[in-house]
């Protein structure tokens, strides 16, 4: 797609179609390149061996890698996207420019297809070798490098190339459907907690919400099971109310219709409550790890059977 490196450069072309009536001439550069004799190319390939290091100049990009010209020879090699860097990159432009000279490691030679596969990444130390200096449940700063539908990739600030995954489920204690794009920007530094290391798969998982105070833990410290507090109706559905305690307006507490009244028709009772209405509730259950709090309004009322 990018032909800027060919601008103002003399190139050989083959005439492949000539329409004298319309005055059109169609030419091909590819035909000149592909006409390079296979026998000569095979001889060039014989000069190289897997594991050998060569010099290459970047000629062009594709969505899956970068093409290099080896040692000034009339032979090209592909460095696949995964072999460009240990970092998570989405396009070769993230780490390369046209014309860059790089050392390449030959990792494969296909004599039938007359192709050479090379790598830049394998000539540099694997940053995962430094993983032992990082401890689970410790906080570390990372730099955001890429967003995904399910989270983001980042790098430890003090170790370039060591990539970590921050999943959307580890972004917030309260917001269930939040995405990383709504909270952060590429290049931004944030603090996260290291929660898992898989050495076999070379995967590192981190959490942003683990560095923030869990409001459900704070609720548990403030209120005890059986305690009565004032609450505000925040929303309703066909079988329950969701209310919030005055000191924790961001937390939704579940109040089932059966816990509203001693009357048999609890669903009709449910319709009487409006958003913003103040009621008293008793704490029935607190589960901070599951992010669930269950309350009852009925438990604050006199029991008609208590006589």
């Amino acid at each position: 797609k990018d032909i800027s490196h060919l601008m103002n450069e003399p190139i050989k072309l083959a005439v492949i179609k000539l329409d004298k009536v319309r005055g059109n001439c169609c030419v091909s550069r590819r035909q000149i390149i592909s006409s390079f004799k296979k026998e000569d190319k095979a001889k060039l390939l014989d000069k190289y061996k897997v594991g050998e290091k060569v010099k290459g100049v970047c000629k062009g990009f594709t969505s899956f890698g970068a093409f290099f010209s080896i040692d000034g020879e009339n032979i090209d090699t592909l460095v696949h996207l995964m072999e460009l860097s240990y970092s998570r990159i989405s396009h070769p432009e993230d780490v390369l420019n046209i014309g860059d000279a790089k050392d390449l490691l030959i990792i494969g030679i296909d004599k039938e297809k007359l192709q050479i596969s090379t790598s830049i990444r394998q000539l540099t130390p694997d940053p995962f070798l430094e993983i032992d200096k990082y401890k689970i449940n410790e906080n570390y700063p990372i730099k955001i490098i890429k967003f995904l539908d399910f989270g983001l990739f980042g790098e430890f600030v003090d170790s370039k190339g060591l990539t970590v995954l921050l999943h959307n489920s580890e972004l917030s204690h309260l917001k269930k459907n939040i995405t990383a794009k709504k909270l952060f920007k590429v290049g931004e530094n944030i603090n996260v907690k290291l929660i898992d290391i898989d050495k076999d798969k070379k995967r590192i998982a981190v959490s942003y919400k683990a560095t923030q105070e869990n409001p459900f833990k704070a609720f548990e410290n403030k209120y005890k099971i059986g305690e009565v507090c004032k609450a505000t109706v925040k929303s309703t559905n066909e079988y329950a109310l969701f209310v919030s305690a005055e000191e924790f307006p961001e937390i939704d507490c579940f109040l089932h219709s059966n816990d509203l009244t001693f009357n048999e028709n609890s669903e009709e009772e449910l319709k009487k409550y409006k958003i913003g209405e103040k009621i008293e509730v008793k704490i029935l259950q607190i589960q901070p790890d599951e992010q669930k709090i269950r309350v009852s309004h009925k438990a604050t009322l006199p029991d008609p059977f208590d006589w």
Side-chain angles (χ1 to χ4, degrees), residues 153-170:
F153 282 121
E155 288 181 345
F156 286 119
V157 170
D158 61 347
S159 178
K160 184 173 177 60
L162 197 53
T163 307
V164 302
L165 171 65
L166 173 55
H167 195 273
N168 285 337
S169 62
E170 293 295 331

Side-chain angles (χ1 to χ4, degrees), residues 19 73 119 126 144 158 171 236 240 244 288 292:
D19 190 331
E73 299 278 6
S119 171
D126 185 351
I144 298 169
D158 61 347
L171 290 173
T236 181
S244 62
K292 293 180 181 178

Side-chain angles (χ1 to χ4, degrees), residues 18-29:
L18 195 61
D19 190 331
K20 294 183 179 181
V21 176
R22 295 184 179 181
N24 291 337
C25 179
C26 184
V27 297
S28 169
R29 176 174 177 261

Side-chain angles (χ1 to χ4, degrees), residues 44-90:
L44 281 176
L45 289 184
D46 288 338
K47 293 168 54 178
Y48 301 102
K49 295 181 180 180
V50 173
E52 184 180 352
K53 186 170 75 171
V54 294
K55 295 281 187 181
V57 176
C58 184
K59 295 179 61 178
F61 299 141
T62 71
S63 59
F64 52 84
F67 287 102
F68 284 79
S69 176
I70 298 179
D71 292 336
E73 299 278 6
N74 195 9
I75 187 168
D76 293 343
T77 178
L78 172 68
V79 180
H80 194 274
L81 196 65
M82 297 296 293
E83 293 296 334
L84 286 172
S85 172
Y86 283 104
S87 301
R88 303 273 181 170
I89 60 174
S90 56

Side-chain angles (χ1 to χ4, degrees), residues 116-131:
I116 297 179
S117 301
T118 51
S119 171
I120 295 175
R121 186 185 71 165
Q122 295 186 32
L123 288 175
T124 58
D126 185 351
F128 206 85
L129 296 175
E130 300 180 8
I131 193 60

